[in-house]
Amino acid sequence: MNMFRELLANRKLIWKLAKNDFKTKYSGSYFGIFWAFVQPIVTVLIYVFVFQVGFKAQPTDTGYPYVLQLVSGIIPWFFFSEALLSATNCLLEYSYLVKKVVFKISILPIVKVLSAIFVHIFFICFGVLLFVIMGKIPPIQFVQIVYYMFCTLCLAIGLSFFTCAIVPFFRDFYQMVSIALQIGMWLCPIMYDISLIPTKIQFILKLNPVYYIVQGYRDSYMNGIWFWHHGTMGIYFWVVTILFGILGFKTFKKLRVHFSDVL
């Protein structure tokens, strides 16, 4: 509870640092924050070319082109993976702040996660524009995208408190998280329709909490299904997310006294 009160008391500082982090992340390059938007777009174009042009991916049963199915699923994944990776490395990146006794280092993972939300909001709007251009206006259920964004934030923050606490003691853990995210993208699923997978394997894939988020974004963009229609899956998601959060906070709290010594 002390950590929650600490985070709440520093909410203005967290938001200010998140904005500064976003601005400074690409300040050293010639095109600046331009790269924050170009790289994900190029990645999407590559996937579209490989799957739709190369493998002749078919439209969904409801008539949505493959590119829209891909975009609606990959937008939350870009946000989650970028937020978690950035937050995982936050103590190393801000080691000069960690060594300051008076600084509340517990805000650093949240700062990095919130920093990723600016690009995410752009891509949500980009997704809407792409749907409109292709003649597929998102349904009224699109308003619940805010709820699924909140789900992504909570999951990423809970996990990041654990991952960032481990990295100062085991630097290779960052690379392990990166590889796990690469594998996780293919297990969500994002590139393909889960109906193509045998039923027994579908159950295993749905155990991944990010599946709930990806499916929620697709429900918001395409399927027109409200989040309460996935009641059981929603309960499972929040139970898992809370457990990850408890594990992350406890690990961070236990190890934080040693951070300045190992950095």
Side-chain angles (χ1 to χ4, degrees):
M1 291 301 295
N2 290 334
M3 183 175 292
F4 283 110
R5 285 195 291 267
E6 182 178 288
L7 297 176
L8 185 61
N10 291 276
R11 59 188 182 278
K12 293 183 178 179
L13 176 62
I14 291 173
W15 184 244
K16 181 180 179 180
L17 289 176
K19 290 189 291 184
N20 290 338
D21 182 84
F22 174 70
K23 292 177 182 177
T24 58
K25 186 179 297 183
Y26 302 95
S27 60
S29 60
Y30 185 77
F31 291 103
I33 63 174
F34 175 75
W35 293 113
F37 306 103
V38 170
Q39 185 175 354
I41 291 176
V42 171
T43 302
V44 170
L45 291 176
I46 292 173
Y47 287 143
V48 170
F49 178 80
V50 171
F51 287 95
Q52 186 161 322
V53 179
F55 291 105
K56 307 295 182 182
Q58 298 300 311
T60 65
D61 294 337
T62 52
Y64 283 88
Y66 173 77
V67 62
L68 297 183
Q69 181 188 30
L70 173 65
V71 167
S72 61
I74 208 169
I75 285 175
W77 179 261
F78 279 153
F79 175 37
F80 174 75
S81 59
E82 171 64 20
L84 182 57
L85 272 181
S86 297
T88 296
N89 216 35
C90 68
L91 297 182
L92 297 183
E93 184 176 344
Y94 288 103
S95 59
Y96 60 95
L97 293 178
V98 176
K99 296 175 183 178
K100 292 185 177 181
V101 179
V102 297
F103 187 79
K104 305 296 184 181
I105 61 175
S106 57
I107 71 174
L108 291 178
I110 300 179
V111 166
K112 299 298 287 187
V113 171
L114 288 179
S115 175
I117 206 171
F118 299 106
V119 175
H120 182 56
I121 292 174
F122 165 81
F123 276 103
I124 288 177
C125 298
F126 171 78
V128 173
L129 179 61
L130 186 61
F131 270 73
V132 172
I133 290 175
M134 301 192 72
K136 299 288 186 179
I137 299 176
I140 186 62
Q141 285 81 0
F142 180 76
V143 297
Q144 68 185 357
I145 206 88
V146 177
Y147 162 73
Y148 287 109
M149 189 191 308
F150 178 72
C151 292
T152 313
L153 279 171
C154 292
L155 180 61
I157 289 173
L159 287 171
S160 65
F161 268 95
F162 175 79
T163 58
C164 77
I166 301 299
V167 167
F169 305 93
F170 182 46
R171 303 295 175 92
D172 293 339
F173 191 65
Y174 175 83
Q175 302 301 330
M176 295 170 64
V177 172
S178 179
I179 293 173
L181 286 172
Q182 293 180 38
I183 296 173
M185 183 176 67
W186 294 95
L187 296 178
C188 259
I190 294 172
M191 308 300 174
Y192 53 90
D193 193 330
I194 195 171
S195 62
L196 301 175
I197 306 298
T199 305
K200 292 182 179 180
I201 300 180
Q202 285 185 30
F203 174 77
I204 298 175
L205 296 180
K206 291 178 180 179
L207 293 177
N208 180 355
V210 184
Y211 171 82
Y212 175 73
I213 296 170
V214 170
Q215 188 60 40
Y217 271 69
R218 283 183 172 151
D219 289 341
S220 302
Y221 272 107
M222 303 191 316
N223 302 329
I225 300 174
W226 291 107
F227 69 90
W228 56 75
H229 292 159
H230 299 299
T232 302
M233 190 178 297
I235 293 173
Y236 168 78
F237 170 83
W238 283 111
V239 169
V240 172
T241 299
I242 291 171
L243 290 176
F244 279 146
I246 293 173
L247 173 64
F249 291 141
K250 285 186 175 296
T251 303
F252 189 91
K253 183 178 179 181
K254 184 175 182 179
L255 298 178
R256 66 188 298 176
V257 295
H258 304 291
F259 291 155
S260 58
D261 296 330
V262 297
L263 292 175

